[in-house]
Amino acid sequence: MASVALKVRKHLSADALFRLVHTGFDHIPDYRPADVDIALPDVLMSAFAMFSLKAPSLLAFDKERTEGNLHTIYGIQRVPCDTYMREILDPVSPKWLRPVFTSVFRQLQRGKALESRTFLDGHYLLALDGTEYFSSKTIHCASCLHRVHRNGSLTYAHQLLGAAIIHPDQRAVIPLMPEPIINRDGTDKNDCERNAAKRFVAKLRQDHPHLKLIVTEDSLSSNAPHIETLQDHDLHYILGVKEGDHAYLFQEVQAAEHAGRVISYERHDRAAGLVHRFRFLHDVPLHASHAEVRVNFIEYWEMGQDKVQHFSWITDLRVTKRHVFHLMRGGRARWKIENETFNTLKNQGSHFEHNYGHGEQHLSVVFAMLMMLAFLVDQAQQLCCAWFRAVWRKLGSKRLLWERMRALCYTYALTSMRQLFEALLYGFKRSSLLIPMDSS
Ligand SMILES: [Zn+2]
């Protein structure tokens, strides 16, 4: 097999990103007395490694064989046993993980990895959506949401507001730190997605005060208070609306149609056998009760030979015939947060409870955040690491990629992630390749 020179951006290689995450963990204060046998960054990094390697549980690590690799690849001095990991991580407040997400994001910015992902006039498309990733009748912690059923029984649950930079033409997504939707004070007073969105947006602007963003969400978010929150934080939006939930808006659109104020536009895609039909108008009130909140409206029909799909959105962006098609694609790309982002959490998390543990305070949330952080680092590699991409291409699926990665990790002593990728690409003995490093 001919060796291939792969271009690697050294600050965005897997090894560099793992070091960056480790450095972030080094700054998290340890709540324990000074003389501890395993340092907090080691415990956090072990949990990160578990999610990074997609190990089904801590017990799946054969520690005898893997500890050396966790040391060389992930920089972990001492690996805790699973009980100890749960015990140490349970009191750690998830808020300490935020700077680690931000530092990985900044590294992507510095490496110019995000530039190709701008959607419109230098703005990125940011999808927000709530999801539930855990529920149980029996297992619970102080952070669990409580759902009381008619018969008086309780279901405990964990939800989060997820956020990811998406692009209609690109598979990779860049998740930001999610906002947990949790029971704040150990009582049965539930948090909700709307409050979580307010907290999320405020923190987003603290972390990224100048980032140009267009937020895209489903129709639950199309309400005046939320739109005001977005506007207060200098965020544009493309939000879904539904006739059933926004009857007043649709009546206003109908009235505007009769008055000749609505613009229609059609585009034919003969190759795909589709007709794209739009109608849009500007400056229409969203609710009768909030006449001051005025929005632009887009309605869209994708008409195939035997199927019609229908969508509608509101936006603060100016809509023209020239770019209504592009805006529609941005609105439709929202599904990527479900399919590309939450699925990772859910596929791995289907046995989340059983495999990783719940804790009494924050453990469940800390694990969910670390899983999302590992996913962010995976996505960064997918975008920027030629080695990762070459191995992925060769093996054909990520499932196989993670399987082979774990198998090698459990079997051989490795010095770095790059060596692991080289071994997967060329076989274990062959490792002398010319890798030009660029300094971006
Ligand atoms: Zn809980």
Side-chain angles (χ1 to χ4, degrees), residues 117-128 164-168 176 200 204-205 210-217 230 233-239 313-318 323 326-331 333-334:
R117 306 182 61 80
T118 54
F119 173 69
L120 187 72
D121 296 334
H123 290 72
Y124 300 105
L125 206 51
L126 177 69
L128 300 183
I165 292 189
I166 58 168
H167 191 285
L176 305 182
F200 174 85
L204 171 72
R205 274 303 176 224
H210 306 298
L211 199 62
K212 291 177 160 183
L213 293 166
I214 300 166
V215 170
T216 174
E217 296 177 77
L230 296 177
H233 291 86
D234 196 21
L235 295 163
H236 295 290
Y237 57 83
I238 303 172
L239 309 175
W313 297 277
I314 53 170
T315 177
D316 62 334
L317 301 164
R318 185 113 199 114
H323 73 303
H326 191 61
L327 295 179
M328 170 278 286
R329 295 199 66 226
R334 195 198 63 79

Side-chain angles (χ1 to χ4, degrees), residues 299-360:
E299 193 166 16
Y300 165 66
W301 294 263
E302 181 190 88
M303 299 187 291
Q305 283 182 338
D306 38 35
K307 190 173 152 196
V308 176
Q309 295 198 75
H310 174 237
F311 303 86
S312 33
W313 297 277
I314 53 170
T315 177
D316 62 334
L317 301 164
R318 185 113 199 114
V319 188
T320 64
K321 286 183 181 177
R322 196 169 57 83
H323 73 303
V324 66
F325 187 85
H326 191 61
L327 295 179
M328 170 278 286
R329 295 199 66 226
R332 287 187 73 175
R334 195 198 63 79
W335 65 268
K336 283 173 186 273
I337 189 147
E338 250 324 301
N339 282 38
E340 308 283 332
T341 314
F342 294 157
N343 267 359
T344 314
L345 196 68
K346 287 176 178 170
N347 289 342
Q348 277 186 73
S350 55
H351 301 293
F352 195 83
E353 186 47 47
H354 173 71
N355 291 333
Y356 305 122
H358 197 88
E360 292 175 0

